[in-house]
Amino acid sequence: MTATPSTWDYDHYDPAEERLRESLCTLGNGYFATRGALPECAADDVHYPGTYVAGCYNRLTSGVAGREVENEDMVNLPNWLPLRFRPAGGDWLTPDTAEVLDHRQTVHLDTGVLERRTGFALGGERVLYVRQVRLVHMADPHLAALRTEFTAEGGPADLEVEAALDGGVTNSGVPRYRELDGHHLTHVHTGGADAADTVWLRCRTRTSDTRIGMAARTTADAPVTAAREHLCVTQRTVLRVEPGRTAVVDKVVALHTSRDPAISDPLQAAVDRVAEAPGFDDLLVTHRTAWGQLWRRAELEVPGEAGSILRLHLFHVLQTLSPHTADLDVGVPARGLHGEAYRGHVFWDELFVLPYLNLHFPEVSRALLHYRHRRLERARSAARAIGRRGALYPWQSGSDGREETQQLHLNPRSGRWLPDHSHLQHHVGSAIAYNVWQYCEASGDAEFLHTKGAEMLLQIARFWADSATWDEQVGRYRIRGVVGPDEYHEAYPGADRPGLDDNAYTNVTAAWVLSRTLEVLDGLPEPRRRELVERTALDDAELEQWDSVSRTLHVPFHEGVVSQFEGYGDLAELDWAGYRERYGDIRRLDRLLEAENDSVNNYQASKQADVLMLGYLFSPAELRALFGRLGYRLDEETWQRTVDHYLARTSHGSTLSGLVHGWILARARRAEAWAYFQEALKGDVADLQGGTTGEGIHLGAMAGTLDLVQRGLTGLESRAGALWLDPVPLPELSSYGFSVRYQGHWGVRFRLEHGRLEIAVPAAGPLPIDVRLPDREVRLQPGDTCRLVLPD
């Protein structure tokens, strides 16, 4: 593999790496995405050509370990890719069945195009060269196209070519899910349109009853004939390929579902759209233009290998969450639209994604927050179901906002299905509240803050206040029975019920939500505040309780460090060196211990940052103030002891772990910070989690690395009507630049270069920008550029 800022290139065929390449070569436009599988290859243990529409889910019940379990999945839709070829009368050619002379697959990041070149030996001196160019259209989100060029050397070749739309697909891309029912599509019908070169396929999901319509227009240098087969429709042609001449087959596809606005029938919409679509060359022009516009809005200049990987990360973020997302009712899928891991569910990963989007595509952030607001009533119902007031958002969300966390999960090492208690990660509500506040600070969207934002904040705060119970012995409020971001610890050793008490991250972020919500309510215009108070029956006594809880929540300590939860310091120490010697890779320590009939609940061991997540969300000054409001002193020495304690006890079993640790170390221990940043950068491209990237990228980690450069290393914050900067350039990354969109200013440019900071404000901006650094304040008028020398 070779990478540049504009290309990602694989130069040979390796079946063992194919799933990883398919994920990293996925093309999408925010509405749908298709994995980078070879069009001539069907789904098997090597290849998996999945296509996914954002927000298209289906719910099925499966028998597992003697129980009936229900799961909702993002649906693998009919496969539009198939295009296979063979010498007349011969076998179909694939890299698995024919002699491959050379093979190259290139993602062109600047233009959003996947190019493939393969040379097949045909016997004797004859060679068939195949070049394919694929796009999922960024300007028209319902179109995709595939151009295939055939060139012969050493003699002519008669080729049979078959293109298809295949409705016989299932969700089977994640091996550990294969005991679950993956047959989500039903009522598959096919046919031909009035135009002779166009065929169609329609179907629907089994329980959510989402109708899908797909149409394909295939043109070639010879006549094309259509045939209907079981669950698919094909188009065939025979080409005479002469040496020195290239034969071309173009396939243009349209995709609609019944979730789309402004259509009546998805099949008719797809047939009409493909009929009106221009040819491949014209589609490529408008597609490139749309990508050029995206790159200008997300300008990022970072040198070296880090810059190439960051460009790939940005490419996949934009394919999953593009401006088209602003028109959809969807959340942030943790694994992108790139595969079926996590079943396409929405977790807390938006906590790592929205801070980046806020400063480039605020309309997308707003839409993603609308997804949460539309499910506010479902969250309130979930709270009532456990006897609480307010809103309890689910740890895993899908179509309608109910809790989608699986009841059982499979440990591949032991082969056992185990109870899953991760739904107790109630801190997801604090992540949503944090995102509301961060979006409004960056965008200046007072209308959203005063309406939907305030409504979510109020109900999340109400849940936290009602979850807190007074403990006379401790003299503080406590929140019991939760699971923190660590995820390893779900219960106390030997306990007969899940849940932990006083998770520090949960309690501190709950206190932040309560205090921030009080501030927002206090700042509402009086008519709006009155409406909200009347609608929610909010009174002064409840507000006083919120204030009291926000000042007296319990935060446990042990041995001079912040405890992950009450009793954490009483757990046994793990023999880390022994486990590393025995297993090598211990990232999934929980699975290793369970396979030994032990439990990670017994040890001071974390999968990823838990307490230390507080240092990711809050600046040092803000974190000290939060602890101070709670009546605790968190000085630099205590925080550094806390960092050291958990660094030594974390297995980094998540792609988010390196990101968070790199962020919090950047200001104190830069050499260590760079090592963690490198791990975060390479989490997907090197598949550091051992095969997981082939099931879908890790979107939160990808966006988080972008935000680490944008906000983490610059200290960039948007608060109190100003941009705050406190740069900490790493020696390995001391020169870079980017632009942001800030409160009506499109393209505010920042450039850090060897201890100097340049800020340029576009001339078309509406108002001046106040910039605050630790040692000075600067007001920049539209059109101004300032250059500052940073202190050592």
Side-chain angles (χ1 to χ4, degrees):
M1 184 276 296
T2 56
T4 72
S6 60
T7 60
W8 201 258
D9 192 61
Y10 296 98
D11 61 1
H12 65 286
Y13 178 69
D14 183 353
E17 294 291 316
E18 193 64 13
R19 289 289 181 99
L20 172 62
R21 295 181 184 184
E22 289 176 355
S23 285
L24 295 177
C25 294
T26 293
L27 298 182
N29 56 26
Y31 173 77
F32 83 99
T34 296
R35 287 168 57 83
L38 298 172
E40 69 269 24
C41 295
D44 56 21
D45 290 337
V46 175
H47 310 279
Y48 196 70
T51 290
Y52 310 95
V53 165
C56 184
Y57 293 99
N58 187 63
R59 189 180 307 278
L60 294 176
T61 300
S62 308
V64 176
R67 295 173 56 180
E68 294 291 302
V69 297
E70 187 178 83
N71 289 292
E72 185 176 68
D73 291 79
M74 182 172 69
V75 178
N76 182 19
L77 295 186
N79 183 13
W80 66 269
L81 271 183
L83 191 144
R84 57 183 183 171
F85 39 87
R86 64 184 175 186
D91 296 327
W92 297 110
L93 300 177
T94 76
D96 304 303
T97 60
E99 182 183 353
V100 175
L101 301 179
D102 59 79
H103 178 77
R104 181 177 293 272
Q105 207 167 1
T106 304
V107 182
H108 296 272
L109 303 179
D110 289 348
T111 56
V113 166
L114 177 61
E115 181 182 15
R116 168 273 184 99
R117 296 175 181 267
T118 308
F120 293 98
L122 296 184
E125 299 296 322
R126 293 190 308 156
V127 178
L128 177 69
Y129 288 101
V130 180
R131 176 178 181 262
Q132 292 181 314
V133 178
R134 182 192 313 180
L135 60 88
V136 175
H137 209 271
M138 188 54 81
D140 186 330
H142 299 280
L143 291 178
L146 174 68
R147 167 165 285 179
T148 306
E149 301 172 352
F150 299 103
T151 306
E153 285 188 7
D158 292 319
L159 283 185
E160 298 175 10
V161 181
E162 179 184 275
L165 300 177
D166 181 11
V169 301
T170 63
N171 276 51
S172 54
V174 180
R176 60 189 176 280
Y177 298 167
R178 287 178 184 169
E179 292 187 44
L180 306 174
D181 190 349
H183 294 80
H184 292 282
L185 301 179
T186 187
H187 292 86
V188 178
H189 299 280
T190 61
D194 292 339
D197 57 5
T198 301
V199 294
W200 55 260
L201 182 150
R202 72 181 180 197
C203 59
R204 63 182 61 207
T205 56
R206 285 171 58 187
T207 59
S208 59
D209 203 30
T210 299
R211 291 173 291 132
I212 297 114
M214 187 178 283
R217 184 185 73 211
T218 301
T219 56
D221 297 336
V224 176
T225 59
R228 298 169 60 183
E229 301 180 10
H230 181 59
L231 301 180
C232 76
V233 59
T234 62
Q235 293 176 287
R236 299 188 179 100
T237 188
V238 178
L239 302 175
R240 178 73 173 179
V241 184
E242 298 284 353
R245 299 185 62 184
T246 297
V248 179
V249 177
D250 285 341
K251 183 179 184 180
V252 178
V253 175
L255 170 62
H256 278 277
T257 81
S258 54
R259 301 180 76 248
D260 298 343
I263 67 167
S264 59
D265 172 51
L267 176 60
Q268 190 61 52
V271 170
D272 291 345
R273 189 170 293 269
V274 84
E276 296 171 5
F280 186 90
D281 290 327
D282 290 335
L283 283 173
L284 185 59
V285 169
T286 53
H287 174 70
R288 285 173 168 167
T289 300
W291 266 107
Q293 293 167 350
L294 286 184
W295 285 118
R296 285 200 300 273
R297 288 181 64 179
E299 181 184 1
L300 177 69
E301 297 175 8
V302 177
E305 181 188 36
S308 297
I309 297 175
L310 285 166
R311 288 273 292 183
L312 180 74
H313 287 185
L314 180 51
F315 178 73
H316 285 298
V317 170
L318 294 176
Q319 293 194 118
T320 307
L321 302 168
S322 79
H324 297 301
T325 307
D327 299 323
L328 306 176
D329 177 31
V330 298
V332 176
R335 304 300 286 273
L337 301 175
H338 297 60
E340 294 160 14
Y342 300 171
R343 301 184 176 86
H345 291 170
V346 177
F347 292 69
W348 73 328
D349 295 71
E350 62 208 62
L351 187 62
F352 303 89
V353 176
L354 263 64
Y356 178 80
L357 294 176
N358 291 340
L359 293 170
H360 298 277
F361 303 95
E363 74 277 19
V364 177
S365 291
R366 182 182 171 111
L368 297 169
L369 292 171
H370 272 286
Y371 167 86
R372 293 297 194 179
H373 183 265
R374 292 187 187 100
R375 288 149 184 83
L376 179 58
E377 287 307 309
R378 173 72 77 166
R380 294 183 65 201
S381 296
R384 286 193 296 270
I386 62 171
R388 307 265 178 87
R389 303 179 70 204
L392 170 59
Y393 277 95
W395 176 239
Q396 296 187 32
S397 181
S399 60
D400 60 11
R402 77 181 75 176
E403 180 60 77
E404 300 293 353
T405 299
Q406 63 270 27
Q407 302 167 38
L408 300 172
H409 68 266
L410 176 67
N411 181 356
R413 280 196 165 265
S414 67
R416 288 190 284 259
W417 287 89
L418 308 166
D420 191 308
H421 303 299
S422 55
H423 67 279
L424 296 175
Q425 292 191 71
H426 297 166
H427 61 80
V428 65
S430 294
I432 294 167
Y434 182 88
N435 279 329
V436 168
W437 179 253
Q438 289 290 323
Y439 161 72
C440 293
E441 284 283 281
S443 66
D445 191 345
E447 186 273 336
F448 184 85
L449 179 63
H450 293 164
T451 55
K452 294 176 175 63
E455 291 166 9
M456 286 189 282
L457 287 170
L458 187 154
Q459 296 297 350
I460 295 167
R462 177 172 272 170
F463 174 80
W464 283 132
D466 201 45
S467 298
T469 58
W470 181 258
D471 187 318
E472 287 288 351
Q473 186 174 356
V474 177
R476 286 182 169 274
Y477 282 98
R478 307 183 67 182
I479 296 177
R480 301 178 183 271
V482 300
V483 170
D486 160 39
E487 293 187 332
Y488 273 177
H489 293 91
E490 295 184 330
Y492 288 103
D496 59 0
R497 65 180 61 185
L500 305 161
D501 299 336
D502 298 313
N503 172 257
Y505 174 85
T506 299
N507 285 13
V508 173
T509 56
W512 179 87
V513 171
L514 288 161
S515 62
R516 186 64 75 195
T517 304
L518 289 168
E519 178 185 328
V520 169
L521 293 175
D522 190 56
L524 288 178
E526 194 282 329
R528 174 57 186 153
R529 178 184 169 90
R530 182 177 179 181
E531 288 177 357
L532 195 58
V533 166
E534 290 174 346
R535 186 185 306 170
T536 60
L538 187 67
D539 58 28
D540 290 343
E542 186 174 3
L543 294 175
E544 290 171 6
Q545 186 216 8
W546 291 8
D547 185 69
S548 176
V549 174
S550 74
R551 296 178 186 276
T552 56
L553 272 168
H554 178 50
V555 179
F557 286 75
H558 74 280
E559 299 177 6
V561 304
V562 182
S563 293
Q564 188 169 309
F565 50 83
E566 185 64 47
Y568 174 89
D570 299 327
L571 300 179
E573 290 283 9
L574 183 77
D575 179 9
W576 290 90
Y579 270 86
R580 288 191 175 98
E581 183 178 353
R582 193 183 317 171
Y583 292 105
D585 185 351
I586 61 168
R587 287 182 174 90
R588 290 312 304 264
L589 182 63
D590 56 332
R591 292 176 175 173
L592 299 175
L593 288 168
E594 193 279 328
E596 294 179 349
N597 297 310
D598 200 349
S599 171
V600 75
N601 286 327
N602 297 325
Y603 300 98
Q604 294 185 39
S606 299
K607 174 184 178 184
Q608 58 190 341
D610 194 297
V611 174
L612 301 191
M613 267 298 298
L614 295 171
Y616 180 83
L617 296 187
F618 305 113
S619 68
E622 191 171 8
L623 190 55
R624 284 195 299 271
L626 269 172
F627 272 76
R629 180 185 176 91
L630 287 165
Y632 299 100
R633 184 169 182 268
L634 185 70
D635 55 28
E636 183 64 20
E637 183 179 346
T638 301
W639 178 247
Q640 288 306 320
R641 280 199 308 267
T642 301
V643 170
D644 290 339
H645 182 87
Y646 291 104
L647 277 176
R649 294 166 176 81
T650 301
S651 70
H652 305 294
S654 162
T655 55
L656 295 172
S657 190
L659 167 69
V660 174
H661 287 92
W663 185 293
I664 63 175
L665 289 173
R667 297 193 173 273
R669 287 137 65 171
R670 298 181 183 183
E672 289 182 68
W674 179 249
Y676 282 112
F677 183 40
Q678 288 280 84
E679 181 167 329
L681 279 176
K682 295 179 179 179
D684 273 331
V685 300
D687 198 12
L688 294 183
Q689 295 294 326
T692 62
T693 302
E695 302 166 352
I697 61 162
H698 297 83
L699 192 68
M702 284 190 168
T705 59
L706 300 169
D707 198 38
L708 177 59
V709 173
Q710 173 179 271
R711 292 191 312 131
L713 300 184
T714 61
L716 176 62
E717 296 181 81
S718 52
R719 55 183 168 90
L723 284 177
W724 300 66
L725 289 161
D726 187 9
V728 285
L730 300 177
E732 298 87 350
L733 196 59
S734 58
S735 300
Y736 58 91
F738 58 89
S739 65
V740 302
R741 179 176 167 187
Y742 173 68
Q743 297 193 359
H745 295 271
W746 289 59
V748 181
R749 299 191 65 186
F750 296 83
R751 180 78 197 173
L752 282 88
E753 189 107 32
H754 303 301
R756 296 178 181 271
L757 171 64
E758 179 180 292
I759 308 172
V761 179
L767 295 169
I769 296 177
D770 289 326
V771 178
R772 299 180 185 176
L773 291 93
D775 60 344
R776 76 200 88 171
E777 297 183 12
V778 180
R779 170 164 283 196
L780 298 177
Q781 300 291 336
D784 282 355
T785 297
C786 77
R787 296 172 181 86
L788 307 170
V789 177
L790 301 175
D792 292 335

